[in-house]
Structures are given as C-alpha cells and as structure tokens.
Amino acid sequence: ANSSSDSSAHLSPIKMFAVRSTSAVAVNAAAARRVGAKKFNPLAAHVARKAPVAKARFSVQANSSSPSPDGEVDLYRDTPLRYMGYSNEVGEAFVAFLPEWGVPASYGVAALYVLADTVDKGKKAADGEADESQKMKRGAIVSLDTFTWQMLASVFWPGSFIRCVVNATSTALPPRPPTPGSSWLR
C-alpha cells in the first residue's frame, strides 16, 4: 500500500480535495513553465495566425492597471478620467442626500464613460488589425467585450450591491426627523 494513499484515506473529503487541488496547481504551473507560459486570449487567437505583433499589442488585459507594452497611456484606464465609471456608485451611496435626478444622472455619467471607452477600444482594435477584411470583425469583438465587462463590472454589479446595502441600512435604522435648513434634500 502507498503511504500517501493511506494518509489521504483518513482525511476528510474537503482536505483531500485541497491536497489534490494544490498538487494539480503545481503540476499545471510546472507544465506552463516548460511550454513557455503563454496566455491564451480567445479574442486575439485569429490574429495570431496572421500578425503576431498585432496579437501582442491588442490582446485584452484583465488587469488594466498594468502598463501598456508599447508605453502608450490609455486615456480611459490609466488617467483620472477612469473614475467617471464609478459615478453611479457615488450616486447610489448618497441617494438620501441627492435631488431626485441625482442618481439617474450619476448612471448617465457612468454609461457615457463606458460608451466612450468601448468606442476607443473598438477603434484601436480595428486600426491595429493587419487583415483588411477582418478589421470590422475585430473592432466589433473587442467593442462587445469591452462594453459587456465595463457595464457589468463598473455599473451593474457595484451599483446593485451598494443599492442593497443602502436599502438594508435605511430599513434597519429608525427614520430621522428633518433638521432645519435641510429642505434641499428632496
């Protein structure tokens, strides 16, 4: 009998899973080092056959805080303009203190930011495509990806969570009588 299988027989299923998971991660990491640790990007896979430089330059990066490989500053992700994408969260957090149009306006600012970033990324992807017949397809794929994830990650999920927290807090706390001079609060 193998001593490692004997010792794992006495572990709970959760601990066994963790041991297997850890060893699987180590095996996968070692295999990645042997292969060269290339990352697969399904949006840029079709470009790899035609223009390897275009694939590296226009791959979609999950971590937008990392600098661009060519040193170019992304106006919508590397400058303070990116905070406009969070305006709806501020609106949701301060709903009790804003006029009636305040929260919808904050969502409008966030949506305009997402649309501007979407157009920018789509245009850059289309301009960087080497194959003239694939420019429109490449721009559309990157635009759809940018729009989907920006709307979910910058607008929908955070705004929904903050709205739930604000509503729960408002329900849990007793109502406060208005103070003098607070008539501007709705």
Side-chain angles (χ1 to χ4, degrees), residues 120-176:
D120 180 60
K121 298 305 173 285
K123 184 172 178 351
K124 285 180 181 178
D127 290 346
E129 176 63 49
D131 186 358
E132 203 57 44
S133 66
Q134 296 292 318
K135 282 186 179 278
M136 182 69 90
K137 180 180 176 183
R138 178 73 177 147
I141 288 171
V142 171
S143 293
L144 182 63
D145 179 68
T146 302
F147 180 78
T148 301
W149 291 109
Q150 283 277 25
M151 285 301 282
L152 287 173
S154 295
V155 179
F156 179 73
W157 289 326
S160 298
F161 179 76
I162 292 170
R163 176 175 287 179
C164 289
V165 170
V166 168
N167 287 344
T169 304
S170 298
T171 303
L173 295 176
R176 210 175 78 181

Side-chain angles (χ1 to χ4, degrees), residues 29 31-39:
R33 282 191 300 272
R34 283 192 302 269
V35 173
K38 290 188 176 183
K39 290 190 265 181

